[in-house]
Amino acid sequence: MSTLAHTMMTAARPVDSGLAGSGELDRYPYAEAPGAERAGAPSWEGGDGEMGRVGRRAAGSRGRGLHGQLVQQLGQMIVSGDLGADRPLVPEEIGQRFEVSRTVVRESLRVLEAKGLVSARPNVGTRVRPVSDWNLLDPDIIEWRAFGPQRDDQRRELWELRWTIEPLAARLAADHGREDVQQRLADMVEIMGHALGQSDTLTFSRADAEFHALLLQLAGNRMLEHLSGIVSAALQVSGGPSIGCDRPHEAAIGHHARIVEALAAGDGAAAESAMRQLLTVHPEVEHVVPAPREH
């Protein structure tokens, strides 16, 4: 076993990835079970309004810092539809509800504006933008959609995107025989196998995300490499709110191993086929693409 593999298996600790893990969803304003009835649109006014309730939840945990938590909560409320398109966002009002300074509110709104969720214009103020303007490839927005009312659409769209880019990346990676990267890929497979035996979903998901990020880097295409964050986000949300990571199973380990073998042999077609087999292991994909045909 390599030093890298041993380190990951023995020293893995929960990290704040920005994505929700098991037990974290109770702080989300829309963490009810799929299909549950949602309350009516919240009011900004009154002590029982949704903004007030969310603000009190955030007050109990400052792990992200005030700025990060405010971005998280406002982003969730926008993506969930609690704050609809063209809704005005008054900085003074937000500051009062969340008990944060003007500076925190201003910087948080700038982050949301960069994500396409809000727009700020002179004489108009800050308003929520329609879905068509959102940066849907932003990892935060991927998370918020995946754990909100749009969860089913988000997961389907992520799997469609992965089906498009990852088999191609596997084929291209076979032409870039970097032994150091291939060894790291093999290490990740070994870690996933060990984690599976230990029922360690955290270590499994970390190694899985590292595997797919490395593969996109090995493809030698900078635009594909730029999408590695999206694939990582897809892996984080694929297991659903109760798990927060990909479901470990023997079939997935085998397909990962076959990808590594194909890369070592420089066989692009085999690497592409193994990746398609891996992606069709997931039930979400059965409704998106047909199972690959054997040639």
Side-chain angles (χ1 to χ4, degrees):
M1 181 187 302
S2 73
T3 301
L4 174 63
H6 181 269
T7 299
M8 286 191 68
M9 285 191 290
T10 58
R13 294 289 184 273
V15 293
D16 184 4
S17 64
L19 296 174
S22 177
E24 294 183 32
L25 290 176
D26 55 349
R27 63 186 174 85
Y28 285 11
Y30 42 68
E32 71 277 358
E37 292 296 326
R38 291 176 50 79
S43 170
W44 287 88
E45 293 76 23
D48 292 331
E50 182 66 10
M51 284 291 285
R53 292 198 299 274
V54 173
R56 287 194 293 274
R57 284 194 198 99
S61 173
R62 301 300 188 190
R64 290 176 176 270
L66 292 176
H67 167 264
Q69 288 189 21
L70 185 57
V71 169
Q72 180 86 352
Q73 300 293 354
L74 289 177
Q76 290 173 335
M77 294 183 73
I78 293 171
V79 171
S80 71
D82 288 338
L83 297 176
D86 207 37
R87 177 71 177 265
L89 301 179
V90 182
E92 292 78 9
E93 196 169 333
I94 295 174
Q96 291 175 2
R97 290 296 181 186
F98 285 94
E99 299 181 353
V100 294
S101 68
R102 292 183 180 180
T103 299
V104 171
V105 174
R106 183 170 60 251
E107 293 303 317
S108 298
L109 291 177
R110 285 179 179 174
V111 172
L112 295 175
E113 185 174 18
K115 297 177 183 296
L117 294 179
V118 304
S119 62
R121 291 181 294 174
N123 303 320
V124 175
T126 301
R127 290 181 176 271
V128 176
R129 299 171 70 174
V131 178
S132 58
D133 292 341
W134 299 354
N135 177 10
L136 297 180
L137 299 183
D138 183 283
D140 282 337
I141 295 180
I142 289 175
E143 172 203 346
W144 298 333
R145 291 185 71 206
F147 291 102
Q150 303 174 41
R151 56 174 66 88
D152 291 338
D153 287 341
Q154 178 65 97
R155 289 178 187 141
R156 175 183 56 79
E157 290 166 3
L158 283 171
W159 285 117
E160 289 173 346
L161 181 61
R162 291 189 65 192
W163 180 264
T164 301
I165 65 175
E166 290 200 78
L168 171 61
R171 174 182 284 272
L172 294 175
D175 295 328
H176 298 79
R178 289 183 51 187
E179 293 184 1
D180 57 333
V181 179
Q182 290 181 7
Q183 179 57 53
R184 289 179 65 190
L185 289 169
D187 287 342
M188 295 307 110
V189 176
E190 185 176 3
I191 292 167
M192 284 187 281
H194 184 273
L196 177 63
Q198 299 295 319
S199 299
D200 184 352
T201 57
L202 173 62
T203 300
F204 184 97
S205 66
R206 291 179 63 187
D208 194 19
E210 176 74 4
F211 181 97
H212 290 271
L214 285 169
L215 190 66
L216 289 171
Q217 294 170 20
L218 189 60
N221 183 306
R222 292 182 179 177
M223 296 188 73
L224 286 177
E225 183 177 347
H226 189 70
L227 297 176
S228 61
I230 300 168
V231 172
S232 294
L235 289 167
Q236 290 286 339
V237 304
S238 62
S242 63
I243 300 177
C245 66
D246 207 358
R247 296 181 180 90
H249 43 69
E250 290 286 355
I253 301 295
H255 292 312
H256 281 89
R258 280 188 282 277
I259 292 172
V260 174
E261 294 169 359
L263 295 179
D267 190 339
E272 178 179 2
S273 176
M275 178 59 77
R276 293 195 185 280
Q277 291 282 354
L278 171 61
L279 292 178
T280 53
V281 163
H282 304 283
E284 292 91 341
V285 184
E286 293 178 0
H287 306 290
V288 177
V289 293
R293 293 175 298 177
E294 296 294 335
H295 296 286

